Amino acid sequence: MAAKKLQSIRGIHDGLPAEVRLWQKVESAARKVFSTYAFSEVRLPILEPTELFVRSIGEATDIVSKEMYAFTDQGNDNICLRPEGTAGSVRAYLQGGLTRSGTQRWFYIGPMFRRERPQKGRLRQFQQIGVEMFGANGPLEDAEVLAMAHNFLSELGISGLQLEVNSLGCSACRPGYREALLTYLNERSDKLCETCVERVDKNPMRVLDCKETSCQAELNDAPEMVNHLCEGCETHFSGLKVGLHALNVPYKINARIVRGLDYYNRTAFEIVTDQLGSQGTVLAGGRYDGLVTELGGPATSAIGFAAGLERLGMLLNETDAALVDVAVVALGEEVISYSMQQAAQLRGEGFSVVHCGGGSAKRQFKVVDREGARFVVIIGEEEMQQARVTLKDMATGDQQQLSVDKLTAVLGKSSKAETI
């Protein structure tokens, strides 16, 4: 009897080469754009104390109450797999003693874990790019962070995106809004879904984010936070809009953006697309001025955002990712060693190269097609004797013979022309 094949855990999948190439394209764009705004990469642990997220995200949130992978280890410590990156960043900021080191601009890339219902673009282990800025004191810093997020997605060439912004108020104006919202929701509680009925008492603003059609129908006239802002929050929101106009970043106000975590205040934003169905958010974030204090630090203004690599990858074509630059075809056993040397030399020049292994030309060109090589270097006995190769452009079918010492220069020019 054949051994049973083991499967990965539901909602946790393998990142195979084709998908990882897309992730690397996203990561490369992030590093390029974020560096122009003076953001530096940090590497944070995957395991954190469970209490960190209970205190920061909120015990009543879905993430903490239903979705965290939390457990007690052999040392009787309560730990969990991180469900998001902001709380861990604040812990690292405080633990590193950086509260008096001026503005800190960070980004990180890595896996997060939530036990959600798996669906398209939403996994239980998902890859995320996160950005945090500590010391973001005013609306102009918010505008620059939103502009950076917009430029990051523009660098990827993703079209059909919309930046949506809202203000969630602050501890001064939110209580009054909460009372107005509770009154409205309680009058309609018999028409809300079961999840929203639970949220009314624990986190009523989350009801506004419900995707159930029946709930949305009841929320058409719900009070909006932007109409209940105190003077300070109104000034901050106006400053954000002025900054976005100055930076030529298009946006629209969406008063239903509430974010799922308790620590957000004032600026909240999402970048959405219509290309991924109902789960259309590809990047989201906001300001969290009280979180550093909540975790034991001094009053610190902060803002951040996160984007899932899987979702962004779904908006890119696999052909956009880096493929094999050169495949080397050796026609005849007597040229194998020489062709391997030419492949090694091209690798030394920085090209990605696959040697097709010799044998029949038909078999080797099947390898070329399978690898998706952009160019083929063909070497037979005559080419070896004359220190020449035949170079074939797989996109156009054009072939040319040239000396070995000119090969690198020609390949370099062709590659550069394709990336412009």
Side-chain angles (χ1 to χ4, degrees), residues 34 63 76 79 116-117 172 180 182 232 266 271 327 347 356 384:
F34 297 167
I63 291 176
N76 210 34
I79 61 178
E116 300 182 285
R117 181 172 64 87
L182 277 173
R266 290 190 170 172
I271 298 181
R347 292 185 183 111
C356 296
M384 180 178 67

Side-chain angles (χ1 to χ4, degrees), residues 241-269:
K241 291 182 282 187
V242 169
L244 291 175
H245 281 300
L247 296 172
N248 295 315
V249 178
Y251 71 92
K252 77 171 186 178
I253 296 174
N254 179 357
R256 296 298 173 84
I257 295 176
V258 297
R259 310 302 300 125
L261 309 179
D262 284 356
Y263 53 63
Y264 285 110
N265 70 300
R266 290 190 170 172
T267 303
F269 63 98

Side-chain angles (χ1 to χ4, degrees), residues 38-330:
F39 278 70
S40 300
E41 185 172 2
V42 294
R43 306 285 177 93
L44 303 175
I46 291 173
L47 290 173
E48 293 279 9
T50 302
E51 183 186 4
L52 173 65
F53 299 102
V54 173
R55 288 174 57 183
S56 60
I57 297 176
E59 196 166 5
T61 59
D62 287 349
I63 291 176
V64 171
S65 63
K66 300 177 181 179
E67 298 170 359
M68 277 208 310
Y69 286 95
F71 55 94
T72 302
D73 71 2
Q74 292 90 332
N76 210 34
D77 292 323
N78 294 318
I79 61 178
C80 66
L81 296 171
R82 62 185 184 189
E84 57 93 50
T86 299
S89 296
V90 174
R91 179 204 51 72
Y93 171 69
L94 293 175
Q95 189 172 337
L98 299 172
T99 58
R100 296 184 179 180
S101 298
T103 302
Q104 297 290 308
R105 303 174 187 87
W106 294 0
F107 74 93
Y108 46 86
I109 302 172
M112 307 292 168
F113 304 83
R114 298 183 191 178
R115 199 180 189 284
E116 300 182 285
R117 181 172 64 87
Q119 53 188 294
K120 183 179 181 182
R122 188 184 291 273
L123 298 167
R124 291 179 175 178
Q125 176 178 324
F126 55 98
Q127 305 297 318
Q128 190 175 81
I129 291 178
V131 164
E132 316 293 347
M133 181 177 180
F134 301 106
N137 294 320
L140 296 186
E141 285 89 345
D142 289 9
E144 287 211 323
V145 169
L146 269 64
M148 184 174 78
H150 184 268
N151 291 344
F152 161 49
L153 297 181
S154 297
E155 177 70 20
L156 289 170
I158 300 174
S159 59
L161 296 170
Q162 174 70 58
L163 170 64
E164 300 180 351
V165 300
N166 190 23
S167 176
L168 302 180
C170 67
S171 58
C173 54
R174 198 182 294 179
Y177 170 68
R178 177 187 170 92
E179 289 304 313
L181 181 60
L182 277 173
T183 299
Y184 181 91
L185 295 176
N186 284 326
E187 291 173 352
R188 294 159 177 79
S189 60
D190 59 328
K191 297 179 181 178
L192 300 177
C193 71
E194 183 178 345
T195 300
C196 284
V197 171
E198 294 177 3
R199 286 174 173 168
V200 167
D201 292 327
K202 297 178 180 178
N203 194 347
M205 290 182 70
R206 285 297 314 280
V207 176
L208 301 176
D209 197 35
C210 182
K211 301 300 188 291
E212 293 290 337
T213 304
S214 57
C215 290
Q216 285 298 315
E218 295 300 319
L219 297 172
N220 287 331
D221 299 319
E224 297 176 344
M225 187 69 238
V226 289
N227 297 322
H228 292 74
L229 299 177
C230 63
E231 183 178 354
C233 289
E234 182 64 54
T235 299
H236 189 101
F237 197 41
S238 296
L240 168 66
K241 291 182 282 187
V242 169
L244 291 175
H245 281 300
L247 296 172
N248 295 315
V249 178
Y251 71 92
K252 77 171 186 178
I253 296 174
N254 179 357
R256 296 298 173 84
I257 295 176
V258 297
R259 310 302 300 125
L261 309 179
D262 284 356
Y263 53 63
Y264 285 110
N265 70 300
R266 290 190 170 172
T267 303
F269 63 98
E270 296 181 356
I271 298 181
V272 300
T273 176
D274 57 5
Q275 300 178 48
L276 296 177
S278 61
Q279 302 294 331
T281 302
V282 295
L283 184 151
R287 178 171 278 271
Y288 50 95
D289 292 342
L291 184 54
V292 176
T293 303
E294 181 69 27
L295 294 178
T300 304
S301 299
I303 187 172
F305 65 78
L309 268 67
E310 286 89 354
R311 285 198 193 183
L312 290 175
M314 291 163 61
L315 296 170
L316 303 176
N317 296 318
E318 186 176 337
T319 54
D320 289 340
L323 300 176
V324 174
D325 291 323
V326 183
V328 175
V329 171

